[in-house]
């Protein structure tokens, strides 16, 4: 709620309206803050107000009380009457009360708070009655905020009203966000028990009916007269156990079908990975490998390694699924279906053997490619460094042969 102060502190919580608004009085609008304020002479019927020196510091004021509508005006001329004060300050707004003292000061209460700021603007002006130069007909005005019990009481009433509105708004918001209350459970009677027995036999209303039955039993509605009715309702609840077991079996069957479809999809993906790897392996053979540039060979080698890693990861995932299926099988199932187990083992071994064969062929083709590169480098070198280059290439070839032998031993 705008303007609401929950702590009821000394701040009003209401942004004061600029008192120098054009069209709201004879007070001119203020210039920018970084420029000294140049006030103008204000002419009234009974008096004249002369502005203070703009080079002097602005007059000091006390801290603004909450809800302030009353100002203290000091430095009035001795001959100033209440009518003259009314004439000067009614330019700031509607005046509700003027309390004048005999000691050249008064208190003025306005109708609204923003009018006080317009009255503060007149602080520092020198007031002269008519054209007289007598000391009793002139005085320097000092306008300041004044503490009034009426202002504070109205401010407190306004704050309490805003607090009530805020509490009401919060309550409406909480009621809107609060979850709906559960439906009330009716009391036990023979008629309600007969209706509940029919609901227990209906699958769509079983959850609602079983809640009512539980509440009745916990309330202590079971006695000798109603024991037979409650027994029949409990028996109806027991008959739903078979339906729940059938639903569970149906869901388990759906889960098995989903697992089977997932495994088939993985198998199809693995087959496509094998085909892609076979394409890369065929590209690394000597027939096609020699026609590619070095950058193309590098990219093909990177793609091949990446595809092989993905192929191996999917193969391990598929093998893990198959191992889980084997672990789920009981000893009796495995003894009843030995052919199925052998078939799974054979397929796994075949997949591993095929992967090893592909890796061996890939290494052999890489070795052939390295040999071709060595031969080309030998032919390109000049006769001056031929002996040294041939020795270096023989060492490289020997190192490559040792590497190939090590790979073959690992395979």
């Amino acid at each position: 709620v705008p303007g609401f102060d929950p702590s009821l502190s000394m701040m009003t919580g209401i942004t004061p309206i600029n008192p120098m608004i054009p069209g709201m009085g004879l007070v001119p609008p203020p210039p920018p803050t970084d420029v000294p304020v140049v006030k103008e002479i204000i002419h009234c019927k009974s008096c004249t107000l002369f502005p203070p020196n703009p080079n002097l510091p602005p007059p000091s004021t006390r801290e603004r009380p909450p809800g302030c509508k009353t100002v203290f005006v000091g430095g009035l001329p001795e001959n100033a009457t209440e009518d003259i004060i009314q004439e000067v300050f009614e330019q700031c707004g509607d005046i509700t009360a003027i309390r004048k003292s005999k000691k050249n000061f008064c208190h003025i209460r306005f109708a609204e708070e923003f009018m006080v700021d317009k009255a503060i603007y007149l602080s520092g002006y020198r007031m002269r009655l008519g054209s007289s130069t007598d000391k009793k007909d002139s005085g320097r005005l000092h306008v300041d905020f004044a503490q009034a019990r009426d202002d504070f009481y109205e401010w407190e009433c306004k704050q309490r009203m805003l607090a009530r509105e805020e509490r009401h708004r919060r309550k409406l918001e909480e009621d809107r966000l609060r979850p709906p209350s559960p439906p009330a459970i009716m009391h036990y009677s023979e008629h309600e028990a007969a209706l509940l027995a029919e609901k227990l036999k209906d699958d769509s209303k079983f959850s609602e009916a079983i809640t009512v039955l539980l509440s009745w039993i916990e309330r202590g509605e079971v006695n000798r007269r109603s024991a037979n009715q409650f027994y029949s309702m409990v028996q109806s609840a027991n008959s739903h156990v078979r339906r729940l077991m059938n639903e569970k079996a149906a869901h388990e069957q759906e889960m098995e079908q989903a697992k089977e479809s997932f495994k088939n999809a993985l198998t199809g993906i693995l087959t496509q990975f094998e085909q892609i790897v076979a394409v890369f392996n065929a590209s690394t053979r000597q027939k096609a490998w020699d026609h590619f540039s070095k950058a193309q060979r590098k990219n093909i080698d990177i793609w091949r390694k990446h595809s092989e890693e993905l192929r191996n990861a999917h193969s391990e995932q598929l093998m893990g699924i198959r191992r889980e299926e084997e672990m789920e099988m009981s000893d009796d199932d495995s003894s009843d279906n030995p052919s199925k187990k052998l078939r799974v083992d054979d397929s796994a071994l075949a997949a591993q053997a095929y992967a090893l064969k592909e890796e061996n062929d890939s290494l052999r083709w890489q070795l052939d490619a390295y040999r071709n590169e060595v031969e080309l480098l030998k032919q390109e070198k000049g006769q001056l460094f031929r002996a040294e280059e041939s020795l270096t290439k023989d060492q490289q070839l020997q190192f490559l042969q040792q590497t190939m032998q090590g790979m073959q031993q690992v395979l």
Side-chain angles (χ1 to χ4, degrees):
V1 178
F4 171 56
D5 185 6
S7 61
L8 295 179
S9 63
M10 295 301 292
M11 300 301 292
T12 62
I14 302 173
T15 305
I17 300 177
N18 189 355
M20 284 71 74
I21 298 177
M24 296 191 68
L26 300 178
V27 181
T33 55
D34 54 349
V35 181
V37 178
V38 179
K39 299 181 179 181
E40 298 179 356
I41 300 175
I42 301 175
H43 297 280
C44 300
K45 292 181 180 180
S46 305
C47 63
T48 306
L49 299 179
F50 296 94
N53 186 358
N55 296 324
L56 294 177
S60 60
T61 58
R62 61 182 298 176
E63 186 179 0
R64 182 174 188 143
C68 180
K69 295 182 182 180
T70 307
V71 293
F72 166 82
V73 182
L76 292 170
E78 293 183 11
N79 295 333
T81 62
E82 189 172 327
D83 294 335
I84 296 175
I85 298 171
Q86 176 89 15
E87 179 186 354
V88 172
F89 284 94
E90 69 180 359
Q91 303 174 19
C92 303
D94 296 335
I95 298 175
T96 59
I98 296 178
R99 296 189 296 272
K100 188 176 181 301
S101 175
K102 296 179 181 180
K103 295 184 180 180
N104 302 333
F105 71 89
C106 69
H107 288 85
I108 304 174
R109 189 165 192 262
F110 293 96
E112 300 294 338
E113 293 184 28
F114 69 90
M115 300 174 183
V116 173
D117 298 305
K118 302 179 78 173
I120 296 292
Y121 180 77
L122 299 177
S123 182
Y125 271 84
R126 177 171 292 280
M127 184 176 179
R128 179 182 295 176
L129 302 180
S131 59
S132 174
T133 58
D134 191 1
K135 183 179 283 188
K136 296 183 178 180
D137 293 333
S138 66
R140 185 175 298 277
L141 300 180
H142 174 70
V143 187
D144 199 354
F145 301 109
Q147 279 190 340
R149 287 175 293 181
D150 296 339
D151 298 342
F152 189 72
Y153 175 73
E154 290 182 2
W155 178 78
E156 281 186 331
C157 293
K158 185 176 180 180
Q159 292 296 313
R160 284 194 289 269
M161 181 187 68
L162 295 175
R164 286 195 298 269
E165 293 178 357
E166 177 70 13
R167 287 196 299 269
H168 181 65
R169 187 192 63 80
R170 290 181 181 177
K171 186 176 182 302
L172 292 178
E173 188 71 15
E174 291 175 359
D175 293 341
R176 187 177 66 84
L177 298 177
R178 184 182 294 114
S181 302
I185 297 175
M186 74 289 293
H187 292 282
Y188 170 78
S189 65
E190 293 184 359
H191 176 69
E192 295 292 342
L195 295 177
L196 186 64
E198 295 297 329
K199 290 182 179 179
L200 287 171
K201 297 176 182 178
D202 189 358
D203 294 341
S204 61
K205 301 178 181 178
F206 178 76
S207 299
E208 177 185 354
I210 199 68
T211 305
V212 177
L213 178 60
L214 177 62
S215 300
W216 284 355
I217 295 175
E218 289 179 349
R219 286 178 185 174
E221 301 287 351
V222 181
N223 51 38
R224 289 188 178 182
R225 292 181 58 186
S226 61
N228 293 331
Q229 278 187 325
F230 276 99
Y231 177 77
S232 63
M233 288 188 287
V234 172
Q235 189 176 9
S236 299
N238 182 53
S239 63
H240 279 263
V241 174
R242 184 181 302 174
R243 177 181 64 84
L244 296 177
M245 294 302 296
N246 293 334
E247 288 184 2
K248 179 184 176 184
H251 291 309
E252 288 179 350
Q253 186 177 0
E254 291 178 359
M255 186 177 64
E256 293 296 332
Q257 292 176 357
K259 284 184 178 179
E260 188 67 24
S261 62
F262 176 68
K263 186 175 69 174
N264 294 335
L266 277 185
T267 305
I269 293 173
L270 183 61
T271 303
Q272 294 182 11
F273 270 120
E274 295 288 354
Q275 295 173 352
I276 295 172
V277 171
V279 169
F280 287 129
N281 291 334
S283 300
T284 56
R285 291 176 183 173
Q286 186 175 0
K287 292 181 180 179
W289 189 256
D290 294 340
H291 298 285
F292 293 121
S293 63
K294 289 187 177 181
Q296 292 174 346
R297 293 177 185 178
K298 184 178 180 181
N299 291 334
I300 291 173
D301 194 32
I302 292 173
W303 296 339
R304 180 185 59 79
K305 291 180 180 178
H306 183 62
S307 300
E308 287 180 354
E309 291 177 358
L310 293 176
R311 189 268 316 274
N312 295 334
H314 281 75
S315 178
E316 291 178 359
Q317 186 177 5
L318 186 60
M319 293 300 297
I321 294 173
R322 290 174 178 174
R323 281 195 296 270
E324 289 178 0
E325 291 179 353
E326 292 176 3
M327 292 175 63
E328 289 176 357
M329 294 175 61
S330 61
D331 296 337
D332 296 335
D333 294 339
S334 62
S335 62
D336 292 339
N337 299 322
S339 59
K340 184 177 180 181
K341 185 174 181 181
L342 290 174
R343 186 164 58 251
V344 173
D345 294 340
D346 292 341
S347 62
L349 292 175
Q352 292 180 357
Y354 182 77
L356 291 174
K357 179 177 176 299
E358 291 291 336
E359 190 174 358
N360 190 11
D361 293 340
S362 175
L363 292 173
R364 187 181 297 110
W365 294 329
Q366 286 184 11
L367 181 59
D368 293 339
Y370 290 149
R371 286 177 178 173
N372 293 334
E373 288 184 0
V374 169
E375 293 296 333
L376 290 173
L377 289 173
K378 280 184 179 180
Q379 294 176 4
E380 290 176 359
K381 295 300 179 180
Q383 294 181 356
L384 294 176
F385 303 100
R386 182 171 297 173
E388 184 179 356
E389 288 293 331
S390 62
L391 180 60
T392 304
K393 298 307 175 185
D394 290 339
Q395 291 177 356
Q396 292 180 357
L397 182 60
Q398 185 178 2
F399 176 73
L400 292 173
Q401 288 177 354
Q402 292 177 358
T403 305
M404 184 61 191
Q405 290 176 1
M407 291 181 179
Q408 289 179 351
Q409 289 177 2
V410 172
L411 292 175

